[in-house]
Amino acid sequence: GAVVSQHPSWVICKSGTSVKIECRSLDFQATTMFWYRQFPKQSLMLMATSNEGSKATYEQGVEKDKFLINHASLTLSTLTVTSAHPEDSSFYICSATKRGLAGGREQYFGPGTRLTVT
Amino acid sequence: SQKIEQNSEALNIQEGKTATLTCNYTNYSPAYLQWYRQDPGRGPVFLLLIRENEKEKRKERLKVTFDTTLKQSLFHITASQPADSATYLCALPNYGGSQGNLIFGKGTKLSVKP
């Protein structure tokens, strides 16, 4: 299988605080991990691409100082939303691709984290 | 820039019928195309990948076609069941972006009525 977990599954925080979301590949080593954000009735919007041991690549319009990504190992990536504001409230989803998989690039998604900033 | 369109926001069909979802793209020639299923409040689940040199691919009750001339993929669910109700996303590789990342369509929400 290819199971990806996320923790927490939901979190409520106060405006101005920081929140860390963990993404783990449980039964495989991930070449690359991706972080997405999804607003209601919208598609997945890629925020950043992360490889183990190197700096994340952020998509245009995503503030790297606000959304800190740390890819500490081949099975763990974290996203920290710093100084969160109500407009950061969204559904954050990570995904991973398998190491050594040639050809297609199917992604294995975590269950998502619902962030609400009050 | 690369664009993906899933023309129908929603599709309602009767149980037992075949559901057909459409994905169109413009401004590039992808080497492959993928389909995912997403349930409410959950992350997407990978269903099928079809390469540019494959016309059709099947997996159980699912069938995907890929017409590189029309720049279109069709996703079929035969003998549909209420459990097939979900949002289905098509995805294409983002050649302008980092390694392996995808661009997703907005999805089509399928409702199968008993």
Side-chain angles (χ1 to χ4, degrees):
Chain A
V3 181
V4 176
S5 71
Q6 268 182 255
H7 178 80
S9 54
W10 60 270
V11 57
I12 301 172
C13 71
K14 291 193 174 179
S15 192
T17 61
S18 295
V19 173
K20 181 188 281 190
I21 302 169
E22 285 188 354
C23 176
R24 291 181 188 272
S25 55
L26 298 184
D27 53 359
F28 67 99
Q29 290 187 326
T31 310
T32 305
M33 287 185 166
F34 303 90
W35 286 96
Y36 294 86
R37 184 165 48 180
Q38 188 176 36
F39 292 105
K41 296 194 176 180
Q42 296 293 314
S43 188
L44 297 155
M45 295 302 297
L46 180 66
M47 298 174 68
T49 303
S50 149
N51 287 293
E52 181 256 344
S54 62
K55 287 185 180 178
T57 303
Y58 289 82
E59 295 301 300
Q60 200 169 21
V62 177
E63 298 172 57
K64 61 180 181 182
D65 294 330
K66 180 169 182 61
F67 298 99
L68 300 178
I69 292 173
N70 186 313
H71 197 146
S73 74
L74 283 170
T75 59
L76 172 64
S77 177
T78 59
L79 168 69
T80 301
V81 183
T82 62
S83 187
H85 290 285
E87 56 265 31
D88 298 324
S89 299
S90 187
F91 191 51
Y92 291 85
I93 315 175
C94 72
S95 72
T97 53
K98 285 186 178 181
R99 189 177 197 189
L101 184 69
R105 296 282 187 264
E106 58 261 41
Q107 295 183 16
Y108 301 94
F109 284 84
T113 297
R114 173 75 57 193
L115 170 64
T116 303
V117 185
T118 61
Chain B
S1 61
Q2 302 151 358
K3 275 190 179 178
I4 303 178
E5 281 186 5
Q6 290 187 252
N7 295 346
S8 298
E9 197 174 303
L11 179 64
N12 299 311
I13 64 167
Q14 206 67 34
E15 183 176 8
K17 302 289 185 187
T18 296
T20 298
L21 286 65
T22 305
C23 177
N24 294 294
Y25 58 92
T26 55
N27 296 334
Y28 75 141
S29 300
Y32 59 87
L33 182 148
Q34 302 181 23
W35 284 89
Y36 290 79
R37 168 183 172 141
Q38 186 175 23
D39 290 283
R42 307 288 297 176
V45 174
F46 171 75
L47 295 175
L48 280 166
L49 180 152
I50 185 166
R51 301 187 192 283
E52 60 180 340
N53 60 349
E54 297 175 312
K55 295 292 182 194
E56 180 181 298
K57 202 154 194 181
R58 291 175 187 260
K59 180 182 174 183
E60 298 171 355
R61 292 184 296 112
L62 307 181
K63 184 178 88 171
V64 171
T65 63
F66 194 7
D67 188 326
T68 55
T69 303
L70 289 178
K71 294 188 183 294
Q72 180 182 81
S73 175
L74 299 178
F75 176 83
H76 306 272
I77 305 175
T78 57
S80 60
Q81 304 164 0
D84 295 327
S85 299
T87 296
Y88 292 86
L89 308 170
C90 79
L92 291 156
N94 179 9
Y95 290 130
S98 316
Q99 60 282 26
N101 72 37
L102 299 170
I103 305 174
F104 285 84
K106 285 190 175 180
T108 296
K109 184 176 180 180
L110 174 66
S111 296
V112 181
K113 306 293 184 189

